[in-house]
Amino acid sequence: MTVFDCERLLFTPASPNPDAIPVIFAFPNEYSVGITSLGYQVVWATLAMRPDLRVSRLFTDVCETLPRSPELLGFSFSWELDYINILNLLESLEIPIRAAERDDTHPLVFGGGPVLTANPEPFADFFDLILLGDGENLLDNFVDAYQEVRSADRQTKLRYLSQVPGIYVPSLYEVTYDSQKGKIQSIAPIDSETPTRIQKQTYRGNILSASTVVTEKAAWENIYMVEVVRSCPEMCRFCLASYLTLPFRTASLEGSLIPAIERGLKVTDRIGLLGASVTQHPEFEKLLDYLSQPQYKNVRLSIASVRTNTVTEKLARTLAERGTRSITIAVESGSEKIRRIINKKLTNEEIIQAAINAKAGGLGAIKFYGMVGIPGEEEADVEATVEMLQAVKKAAPGLRLTLGCSTFVPKSHTPFQWFGVNPDAQKRLKWLEKQLRSRGINFRPESYNWSVIQALISRGDRRLFQVLELTRQYGDSLGSYKRAFKQLKGRLPNLDYYVHSDWATDQILPWHHLEGPLPQSTLIKHLHEAIGHFNASRLVEPVG
């Protein structure tokens, strides 16, 4: 029996037409990881329900029967370091890694997902085309357009597809630099027929995603996932999950959530409610009441990160009764100043009350998400996080406390995209670990070195593909990246430029030609609002 035999499908795949387009849809990681991705599930089902496509799935460890001559090869790209697996899979299929080296005998290689939508430029040389944004309408528009030019040569196909809103063909844009090691001078289409800018596509409906397959082989065994909300209304100024996915959208309770949950409960008793701010759904109380009905007493309920001031005793009790032992809350910092800088509308009193309510409702633990190295942060702000957690422990004795802590990483299309990573973050993580563990609070830091690599990729331009090719040979450690930069010295800016430098707000960013939900003028306005709360002397003054 294969892993595919264990799947319970919640959709009906189409029977492919005789002339159906052969497609490989890949996830650049193991099956257990890929099949747990709601985005991968939904895109796969969307493609598989089209009779004009014959879709085969590919993972790093298993695959369905693959076509000999695929016309389309797609990747769902969710984690930056999976790029290594993308290159490995291309080689295993005997497809050139670089798009410029492919010809009419090779499939068009396309990609989508959060990594590419945020900043595709470091990977631009690897993809023929990239789908930016939500797939609900974009996927069908892409396939329909491909059908129109299916028999054409490769270049004609790419030029035609570049006219579809949300489809980015990197080879049709030329990037010039002040020098090999300098800043970007311009990003422009190679001819007048190619769009000057590409707009990320945003689905605005109120029927959101839900699992299309349930399997015991998933990383989250037998879970059925339901998307409750998309984006986040809080707009923390560092947050890609909020700014890049605006506007905040909620699934209809009667038209989307309840029907989806009822479908899922026919095949499993484990439900996961997903979204960046699930409890801010306007009818979340009604959803809780629905799930609290006696017939669902055996349902195991999991919930994504919740907003602190929505943690009521009722919420905690409902979750505890449905098998949840802990909740996750993003607080970022115990410092009121830092929370003002990042626009985190939250007080320490609300954090403490959330812990009290969680314990009263029967939960045994809370995991807080924090961050160090936020622009404007000083040592006193890190000390404030320890003091806040001590206050929580005192107010809710017996509740197990965990702080998961990362380093600030600048993300495209956010007001903090111009800031670099603070090198002091590394020692602040070590200081927090010492302070919290001595106080009986579990501390789970994210690797500082991984944050450096993440920042490199999140702010990278096209020149970075040379580094990515080399690090694949050297390994994916920070030392491998430093070794690659040393070997490429003089051919691109150094590592510090991409990772630690603060950038001027008037310089051209790698994603300048890719439009997010908000214009740059709005991001700069939000940046200045943040700067008002700390000394911004290290940021280069913007033009105008």
Side-chain angles (χ1 to χ4, degrees), residues 117-135:
T117 296
N119 177 22
E121 289 306 283
F123 315 101
D125 282 43
F126 307 138
F127 288 95
D128 293 302
L129 53 96
I130 293 165
L131 278 55
L132 300 177
D134 298 333

Side-chain angles (χ1 to χ4, degrees), residues 67-88:
R68 289 184 178 180
S69 302
E71 294 182 33
L72 297 172
L73 168 59
F75 289 94
S76 180
F77 198 0
S78 300
W79 190 54
E80 288 90 342
L81 290 188
D82 275 347
Y83 80 84
I84 293 174
N85 293 329
I86 291 177
L87 304 187
N88 290 341

Side-chain angles (χ1 to χ4, degrees), residues 323-344:
T324 294
R325 298 174 182 174
S326 67
I327 56 172
T328 301
I329 298 172
V331 297
E332 315 313 345
S333 174
S335 164
E336 301 274 3
K337 182 194 84 176
I338 291 299
R339 292 199 295 265
R340 286 194 299 271
I341 288 172
I342 63 176
N343 196 37
K344 191 82 177 180

